[in-house]
Amino acid sequence: MSQLSEEFLVAAAQKSADLTHRSTIKRNMDSYDTAVAKGQTRFADWEAARARSAQVKSEGIRNLASLLETFETKIIARGGHVYWAENSEDARQYICDVAQRNNVKTVVKSKSMVTEEIHLSPALEKLGMTVWETDLGELIVQLRKEPPYHIVTPAMHLTREQIRDLFLEKIPDDVHGETHQELVSAARRFLRRAFFSAEMGISGANFLVADAGMVAISTNEGNGRLTTSLPRIHVVVTGIEKVIPRLEDLGVLWPVLATTGTGQPITTYSTLIGGPKTADEIDGPEEFHVVLVDNGRTEVLADEAQQELLRCIRCGACLNKCPVYRQVGGHTYKSIYPGPIGSALMPIFDGVKEYGHLSYACSLCTACNSVCPVKIKLSDHLLENRRKYVAEGDARLSEKIGFAGFRWAAMSAKRFAFFGWAGRKVLRGALAIGLSPHALGPLATWTKYRAVAAVPKDSFRALWRKQNGTH
Amino acid sequence: MALTNTGRARILDRIRKAHVAADPTIDGVTVTLDQIYAPIGDPMERFLAECKANLTEVKVTGDLKSSLHAFAELLGPLPVGTLYVQDDPTLRKFADAFAGRHVIWSSTGRAPEDCQAAITLCEGLVAQTGSIVGSSRAGGRGGSIIPPTHIVYATSDQLVPDITTALRKALASDLKNASYFGLITGSSRTADIEKILVQGAHGPVKVAIVLEIK
């Protein structure tokens, strides 16, 4: 069992017993569920919207090379730069080089999971730059020195009181009250100074639009607009899988993303950026860079069983619906992408040995499949990862022996009946002499929290025969 | 220095080598926009209803004079401070409404940090979501995001029924050459603290439209 796997089990047990945490998450999730249910009623046929979204993303993945080349050509024609980064280090190095070449002192960032994935902020900070997250939730977790709790709502786990105390400690001069409105205003005042002093703005991308050669970025707060408008340099950091064929596809994708992300009809600022300011424009960045990050995505593409994972639009719906995520919370996963999509992707991105255990943080209830707006069958991928986990030899020895034994026993009806009979005998005997159910070997984890049912005298097949008279 | 695109060919090569088959359950299904969205009967009625829902204030006017009056009504309650106005002959006609205030016209530069309001034109209006189509040519990138109030002057002939139509129109026009354009739907907002909606996160607290019927 890996270190991360053990840490997951400990953190999961602690978090699921933390009633304050559960109550905070429940309030957030209930609010989300209500908003999304209402949002879906705006569509004549929500399932048709999901089907179309999946088609567009699938078309993007099937034509990835040509669409990325079309996108690149258009960006370069507008005076932008496109860099293809094979891995995290490559992407970090390029962005750090651009920053150093331009003598950047302050960087503002709009929320981007890919920048978390490539560990960009620490690299810039190591070079002496100040980096500010500008999404409110991201700023909050940055001030707490925590990773995002959720890919859409990074500070979902915190209460207003916790955020008030944090702001009073970290940005006291900007705090003029403690209501929700006043705390938001405090962050606004604090970040305004950063926006107007930053030389570089870094954003992610929700979509890369091939035929228009533009980057689509959705934000509600407007931090994305400020990040991409005020600094002299704008760098977009994005996965290669974000490309879609046509601008008009956003007529479905924008409303679908907003609905599954927050329940809104559309995100407040649904923005398209194609390059640096043009000669006849009055403002905007003078330099524009798009960093196309591979970092394992072409490996996902090469795997026919798992390539559909590249359709993901990072809406967070699978996290919100997952009964495991709702109990253990985002930080327990200790991975950049938590929840079902993270459990599916992280073993591919960062290794089955490190993250294979996350595939087991799932009851295979398939709730994630039912809400995914691009129809990814997430539970299939978790099963596939489990197969890889075992095939690569990372499963526990006791598990391997147990399943090998079960397989051998189950291959013969006689052996199966014999071991069933023996098992019942041993179990009844153990309980009869007062052995604690918690000491029942591999069943200990199960019996720790559950009463052991009475062990029947007869097997299921014997009971069936008695009742029906046949096999 | 990692400034050469040495990875480009390798990434494209890996993509091309991958076999990505169409999935009949996804790619073999026909889905039309008519299936996804209900038809929009009266675009103006829908637009006004959506604006009401997303908290955009709309003042419907019938002519230049009533538009001038609408601007005066919107600007009246604002605190003393600079107005940033897109330098366009259409908006110059409303200069009387700005009397007594310090006005910076966009031809002199970008919206200043401390301006109280920006007044701009727009590229279109979308009935489906009650959105304004903004661009870097309508008050620059900053005009619609820096000040706490953003007032847009639009005419009813700019209204399109849905997002798809707005985007098709953009791609067919010169708008596609703007370095920025996009939809602005209501004021800046956040629900990052306990899912409680707060307006005015980083951008305008208030968005208003003076909508002249043509």
Side-chain angles (χ1 to χ4, degrees), chain A residues 183-195:
Chain A
L183 292 173
V184 172
S185 298
R188 179 185 173 113
R189 276 189 287 274
F190 176 73
L191 285 171
R192 277 277 158 150
R193 293 194 290 277
F195 280 126

Side-chain angles (χ1 to χ4, degrees), chain B residues 78-82 100-101 116:
Chain B
L78 293 184
V80 176
T82 302
R101 287 183 178 269
Q116 276 300 332

Side-chain angles (χ1 to χ4, degrees), chain A residues 26-27 73 82 279 282 285 377 402 448:
Chain A
K26 184 175 185 312
R27 189 173 58 242
T73 303
V82 178
I282 53 177
K377 297 176 284 295
K448 192 173 175 184

Side-chain angles (χ1 to χ4, degrees), chain A residues 33-288:
Chain A
D33 287 344
T34 308
V36 171
K38 190 179 168 198
Q40 287 177 357
T41 64
R42 294 176 57 90
F43 294 81
D45 183 347
W46 172 245
E47 287 307 312
R50 286 179 71 210
R52 182 66 196 140
S53 302
Q55 273 176 3
V56 172
K57 285 294 294 182
S58 175
E59 190 181 343
I61 303 306
R62 276 186 287 119
N63 302 286
L64 198 53
S66 61
L67 291 175
L68 285 170
E69 284 176 315
T70 305
F71 171 80
E72 177 191 40
T73 303
K74 289 187 180 267
I75 293 288
I76 291 171
R78 290 166 181 268
H81 306 270
V82 178
Y83 185 75
W84 303 62
E86 291 199 90
N87 51 44
S88 299
E89 193 188 346
D90 193 5
R92 279 197 309 267
Q93 186 63 52
Y94 178 81
I95 299 160
C96 288
D97 284 349
V98 172
Q100 283 187 303
R101 204 175 59 231
N102 285 281
N103 201 23
V104 169
K105 301 276 187 298
T106 305
V107 176
V108 282
K109 273 184 71 212
S110 171
K111 191 155 74 61
S112 152
M113 293 308 295
V114 180
T115 59
E116 298 283 339
E117 179 187 323
I118 64 168
H119 308 290
L120 180 58
S121 295
L124 292 167
E125 284 166 348
K126 208 171 165 186
L127 294 171
M129 292 167 223
T130 304
V131 182
W132 287 114
E133 295 288 348
T134 62
D135 171 83
L136 175 59
E138 288 278 352
L139 173 69
I140 291 166
V141 293
Q142 181 187 15
L143 292 174
R144 283 171 63 91
K145 297 188 176 14
E146 278 180 356
Y149 181 90
H150 186 284
I151 61 176
V152 175
T153 324
M156 181 193 269
H157 58 306
L158 299 173
T159 62
R160 179 181 61 82
E161 291 77 13
Q162 287 173 298
I163 294 164
R164 173 202 61 199
D165 293 346
L166 176 75
F167 280 9
L168 284 171
E169 185 196 337
K170 302 285 185 181
I171 54 169
D173 295 345
D174 293 304
V175 183
H176 298 169
E178 59 177 60
T179 63
H180 291 86
Q181 179 78 58
E182 285 163 334
L183 292 173
V184 172
S185 298
R188 179 185 173 113
R189 276 189 287 274
F190 176 73
L191 285 171
R192 277 277 158 150
R193 293 194 290 277
F195 280 126
F196 279 89
S197 63
E199 300 90 359
M200 179 184 266
I202 298 177
S203 73
N206 294 97
F207 305 102
L208 307 173
V209 186
D211 68 349
M214 298 190 98
V215 177
I217 303 169
S218 299
T219 67
N220 279 310
E221 297 179 4
N223 61 310
R225 289 282 319 281
L226 289 165
T227 299
T228 59
S229 298
L230 299 184
R232 194 161 45 79
I233 306 152
H234 174 201
V235 180
V236 179
V237 190
T238 175
I240 53 173
E241 81 285 10
K242 295 287 178 75
V243 73
I244 57 169
R246 295 161 295 268
L247 186 64
E248 66 176 66
D249 294 327
L250 294 173
V252 176
L253 287 173
W254 267 345
V256 164
L257 174 63
T259 300
T260 52
T262 59
Q264 290 172 277
I266 188 166
T267 310
T268 306
Y269 298 102
S270 298
T271 300
L272 290 153
I273 294 174
K277 77 184 273 287
T278 60
D280 59 342
E281 291 176 352
I282 53 177
D283 59 2
E286 291 157 19
E287 271 191 41
F288 179 70

